[in-house]
Amino acid sequence: MTSPNKAAIAEAARLIRAGSLVAFPTETVYGLGANALDAAAVARIFAAKGRPASSPLIVHVASLEAARALAAEWPDAAELLARKFWPGPLTLVLAKKPVIPYIVTADLATVGLRVPANPWALALLKQAQVPIAAPSANRFMHLSPTTAAHVRASLGDSVDYILDGGATQVGIESTVVSLAGSRPLLLRPGMISAAAIEQVIGKIEAAQPLTSADAHPSPGMHARHYSPQTPLVFQIPSQGRGAYLWITRPLEGAHNIKMPADAAGYAAVLYETLHKLDSEKLDWIAVERPPDSPEWAGILDRLTRASGAGPRPAVS
Ligand code: TXA
Ligand code: MG
């Protein structure tokens, strides 16, 4: 990984403070950032992404203390999880302080907070000295970017500055856990597994699928939220031209792409692989179903949603 370029960080921090949009790398995916305390700047994020105002944004901060300062309540579970997993790919949803504008949280009384484990993101947060609201830096419903080139291709001129810190490390979006209710809820699985979280705070429930498209505690859970343009399937179609992402064995006669056999390695290259295949204008991308074990849950979730077969109805 390249170490942060001082001049680039200074420029990005200046732009954030001036109310502009800056795309920056986190360890998961690139984020499209704005000053989280500036409602007008945050409104630009929604416009640039074509994202509905009903989808809340994650607020990124430089430290546990900075996160605590934005939460109206800080339960023991938050302290334990933050100490164990921050900086890292875990977002904690907590009651928000009034200083966070409602546009950030899509009118919810809660806010998603995380300290990212990427030196570029941390340097930017420290220098900007404000919390940064940032969804993934892609147009709504598209595949998340793991390189600066992906951001440029998806958002073009609608972003003021792209901080290029190379490819991201984790490769899929953070695990999202709500601690705002009476019991901890897993809102979005990720590479910090439910099992790893349970070792720290005990039993955690998976969020119940909703049947309504508008009342969503976690909009990232909609089916097809994480899709390439090319249809993604688990069964090889008998017709057309496609590619097969395999883990245990290739298929005879297919355009085979070998994927890492460990979950962390697989996640790290998944979106890059899908972005690349998307540009080949194939008829389909077929995927070998990964193991049904806790460390693969985040990957299986994204693949299932990308296939349009998620547990929630698709939004259009
Ligand atoms: O890894 C990540 O989480 C990346 C990087 C940039 O940090 N960000 C990301 O943001 O994936 P986005 O906007 O694509 O997904 C944010 C998800 C939402 O879909 C929702 O599930 C959850 O975070 N979220 C944020 N605030 C929430 C809140 N107040 N209540 C419930 N869920 C919330
Ligand atoms: Mg996203």
Side-chain angles (χ1 to χ4, degrees):
M1 197 186 346
T2 57
S3 52
N5 174 303
K6 281 199 180 130
I9 295 288
E11 176 64 359
R14 185 189 69 74
L15 286 165
I16 288 286
R17 295 185 66 86
S20 300
L21 295 187
V22 173
F24 64 99
T26 77
E27 79 280 37
T28 59
V29 300
Y30 272 70
L32 179 62
N35 179 354
L37 308 180
D38 178 345
V42 172
R44 283 191 204 113
I45 294 178
F46 287 91
K49 278 195 62 129
R51 179 176 174 120
S54 56
S55 285
L57 307 179
I58 293 170
V59 173
H60 300 73
V61 288
S63 67
L64 196 157
E65 294 68 39
R68 231 191 254 125
L70 299 175
E73 283 165 40
W74 190 258
D76 291 345
E79 185 69 18
L80 291 169
L81 290 175
R83 281 180 187 274
K84 171 83 181 172
F85 296 114
W86 283 354
L90 175 68
T91 297
L92 299 178
V93 173
L94 293 151
K96 77 173 192 74
K97 283 251 176 83
V99 64
I100 303 280
Y102 274 103
I103 186 171
V104 172
T105 64
D107 279 335
L108 296 171
T110 56
V111 60
L113 296 168
R114 93 177 183 96
V115 180
N118 176 293
W120 292 75
L122 286 172
L124 174 62
L125 285 162
K126 280 183 191 137
Q127 190 142 351
Q129 294 190 308
V130 290
I132 297 180
S136 52
N138 52 279
R139 292 207 38 98
F140 185 60
M141 304 291 275
H142 286 186
L143 205 53
S144 293
T146 57
T147 66
H150 297 158
V151 178
R152 219 168 279 124
S154 186
L155 293 174
D157 289 341
S158 49
V159 46
D160 298 306
Y161 191 78
I162 302 174
L163 195 55
D164 187 350
T168 63
Q169 296 76 47
V170 174
I172 68 169
E173 304 81 353
S174 61
T175 304
V176 181
V177 170
S178 172
L179 300 174
S182 51
R183 282 171 307 206
L185 267 187
L186 180 68
L187 297 180
R188 179 173 72 181
M191 295 313 287
I192 291 179
S193 71
I197 290 166
E198 290 189 332
Q199 284 186 2
V200 180
I201 59 164
K203 191 84 195 121
I204 171 167
E205 271 175 57
Q208 291 301 305
L210 289 182
T211 46
S212 151
D214 39 44
H216 39 83
S218 191
M221 295 185 65
H222 285 304
R224 290 201 63 79
H225 191 94
Y226 302 92
S227 308
Q229 304 294 92
T230 314
L232 188 142
V233 294
F234 287 105
Q235 296 279 321
I236 302 236
S238 54
Q239 311 231 310
R241 220 166 51 90
Y244 181 59
L245 311 191
W246 65 277
I247 305 168
T248 57
R249 66 192 163 95
L251 279 187
E252 217 181 289
H255 168 14
N256 286 298
I257 295 170
K258 184 181 191 321
M259 296 294 283
D262 67 298
Y266 190 106
V269 299
L270 175 61
Y271 288 173
E272 171 64 23
T273 305
L274 294 179
H275 276 287
K276 219 178 265 162
L277 289 173
D278 238 2
S279 67
E280 292 180 20
K281 303 275 174 264
L282 300 168
D283 298 311
W284 42 262
I285 300 167
V287 184
E288 181 180 339
R289 191 176 285 279
D292 199 9
S293 57
E295 69 270 29
W296 287 86
I299 294 164
L300 187 56
D301 172 81
R302 300 310 185 278
L303 291 175
T304 306
R305 290 174 202 292
S307 77
R312 293 184 179 211
V315 286
S316 50

